[in-house]
């Protein structure tokens, strides 16, 4: 998984750089169109756009991860989703589904305080790490760390004989 994550991140990073270079040249040719285009309306949209543009690349990257964690947290609150959540969003070495929960449980939190603390810490160091690695490699590190820590949790559970499901990585 880790090899695939970093290989995919390298391809994504290359394609992103290629797209940025192409966009730069296209914008240089299309500057004159900005003068004749009508301005978009909507105060709320401008505020959201202004907020988003003021974020660092790391904060933008982590915003997606936080949104995924909040979405999964909300799914835990729906009674009809409990069976699916226990099957795929908790890590349990005695479960029939072993591989997908290794990744999906990374986004799973049952306590609001635990999720908020984790997301705050992630937000606080995201700018420096993403500026060092790039957003693609950061996501690969995040996902790989989740899968590897879940694997270590499986090994520890097998060694101790405790097979109860757990949340998170």
């Amino acid at each position: 998984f880790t090899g695939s994550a970093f290989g995919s991140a390298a391809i994504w990073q290359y394609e992103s750089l290629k797209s940025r270079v192409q966009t730069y040249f296209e914008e240089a040719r299309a500057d004159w169109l900005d003068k004749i285009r009508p301005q978009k309306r909507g105060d709320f949209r401008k505020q959201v756009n202004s907020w988003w543009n003021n974020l660092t690349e790391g904060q933008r990257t982590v915003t997606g991860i936080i949104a995924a964690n909040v979405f999964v947290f909300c799914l835990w609150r729906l009674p009809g989703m409990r069976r699916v959540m226990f099957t795929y969003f908790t890590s349990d070495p005695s479960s029939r589904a072993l591989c997908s929960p290794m990744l999906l449980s990374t986004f799973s939190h049952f306590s609001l305080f635990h999720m908020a603390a984790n997301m705050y810490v992630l937000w606080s160091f995201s700018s420096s790490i993403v500026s060092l690695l790039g957003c693609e490699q950061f996501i690969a590190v995040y996902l790989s760390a989740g899968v590897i820590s879940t694997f270590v949790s499986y090994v520890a559970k097998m060694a101790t004989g405790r097979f109860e499901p757990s949340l998170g990585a």
Side-chain angles (χ1 to χ4, degrees):
F1 177 84
T2 300
S4 296
F6 280 102
S8 298
I11 293 168
W12 180 19
Q13 201 166 22
Y14 168 76
E15 291 296 329
S16 178
L17 179 62
K18 187 172 90 172
S19 174
R20 278 188 259 162
V21 169
Q22 288 173 343
T23 302
Y24 174 77
F25 287 115
E26 288 171 4
E27 285 177 357
R29 282 185 275 143
D31 275 344
W32 63 274
L33 280 176
D34 287 340
K35 295 179 178 119
I36 59 173
R37 282 188 193 146
Q39 292 294 322
K40 295 179 181 177
R41 295 183 183 168
D43 255 354
F44 179 73
R45 182 177 175 170
K46 285 180 185 176
Q47 289 174 349
V48 170
N49 202 12
S50 174
W51 170 79
W52 183 257
N53 289 333
N54 287 330
L55 295 177
T56 64
E57 184 182 17
Q59 291 170 333
R60 286 188 209 138
T61 303
V62 171
T63 299
I65 294 172
I66 291 172
N69 279 277
V70 169
F71 179 72
V72 171
F73 180 78
C74 290
L75 288 177
W76 274 106
R77 302 300 175 255
L78 299 174
M81 292 297 295
R82 286 291 172 118
R83 178 177 286 187
V84 172
M85 298 307 288
F86 274 111
T87 302
Y88 295 106
F89 288 85
T90 59
S91 57
D92 183 4
S94 63
S95 174
R96 282 187 274 164
L98 286 177
C99 294
S100 56
M102 289 179 79
L103 175 63
L104 297 176
S105 69
T106 304
F107 299 97
S108 198
H109 298 83
F110 199 71
S111 160
L112 178 63
F113 177 74
H114 181 223
M115 182 188 67
N118 283 355
M119 296 304 104
Y120 174 74
V121 170
L122 188 64
W123 180 270
S124 67
F125 73 82
S126 64
S127 294
S128 58
I129 296 297
V130 171
S131 68
L132 180 69
L133 299 176
C135 71
E136 301 87 359
Q137 298 296 326
F138 172 75
I139 291 174
V141 167
Y142 179 82
L143 295 176
S144 295
V147 169
I148 290 168
S149 61
T150 302
F151 178 74
V152 170
S153 172
Y154 280 179
V155 170
K157 287 178 182 181
M158 296 296 285
T160 60
R162 299 174 62 198
F163 298 108
E164 66 270 354
S166 61
L167 293 171

